[in-house]
Amino acid sequence: MRLPNSISPAFIEWLDRGGHKITLKKNLMVITKECNGSSKRGVISFERHEVKEFYDLDDYLSGRYEVFLKQYFNNGKGFIQDLHLAMAGKYRKAVMMNNLAKVA
C-alpha cells in the first residue's frame, strides 16, 4: 500500500496518538508499538531533503493505514485537519527549540 504525502503528517500523528513510538534512523522512519509483551514494527523509507508524492508502506503499516482510512471516512475532513494542525504545532515547536539551541 502507498501513503500519499498530502496526508502523511496526519497519519504519523495518528500513529503517535495511538501509542506508537516513532524514530528516525538515516533514511528510515521506524514505527514501533509494544502490545501484550510483543513488539509490532513498521518502516517507511525516504530520502532526506526529497519529498515524494507517495511513500511505500510495509504490511504492518498498511494494516494501520486501512484503520486510519476507515476513521477518516467515518469522521470526515475535520479528522484529518485536526491531525494536521497537531503535527504542524509539533513542527513549529521543534523549529523554535532548534533555533533557541543555536543561540545558546
Side-chain angles (χ1 to χ4, degrees), residues 60-99:
Y60 174 68
L61 290 176
S62 290
R64 298 284 76 216
Y65 186 56
E66 287 180 18
V67 174
F68 170 80
L69 290 176
K70 286 178 186 175
Q71 288 186 3
Y72 176 23
F73 293 136
N74 288 336
N75 296 301
K77 190 175 181 180
F79 173 73
I80 295 292
Q81 289 173 333
D82 176 51
L83 294 168
H84 268 291
L85 287 173
M87 184 58 83
K90 288 179 180 180
Y91 175 77
R92 281 191 296 274
K93 183 177 178 181
V95 168
M96 184 181 73
M97 296 304 287
N98 187 41
N99 290 337

Side-chain angles (χ1 to χ4, degrees), residues 11 13-14 17 22 46 57 59 64 71 75 78 86 94 101 103:
F11 180 60
E13 175 65 19
W14 179 82
R17 289 182 182 187
I22 300 163
F46 63 93
L57 298 177
D59 289 341
R64 298 284 76 216
Q71 288 186 3
N75 296 301
V103 176

Side-chain angles (χ1 to χ4, degrees), residues 22-23 31 34 40 45 47 53 59 61 72-73 78 96:
I22 300 163
T23 54
I31 296 118
E34 298 296 323
K40 307 272 184 176
S45 62
E47 295 296 324
E53 188 176 352
D59 289 341
L61 290 176
Y72 176 23
F73 293 136
M96 184 181 73

Side-chain angles (χ1 to χ4, degrees), residues 16-60:
D16 184 52
R17 289 182 182 187
H20 289 81
K21 181 180 175 188
I22 300 163
T23 54
L24 297 176
K25 296 185 179 181
K26 202 163 184 171
N27 292 342
L28 295 175
M29 181 179 292
V30 181
I31 296 118
T32 56
K33 183 170 184 178
E34 298 296 323
C35 187
N36 298 327
S38 67
S39 181
K40 307 272 184 176
R41 182 178 186 268
V43 175
I44 301 173
S45 62
F46 63 93
E47 295 296 324
R48 292 194 185 267
H49 311 293
E50 179 184 327
V51 177
K52 294 182 181 178
E53 188 176 352
F54 293 94
Y55 296 92
D56 292 324
L57 298 177
D58 61 17
D59 289 341
Y60 174 68

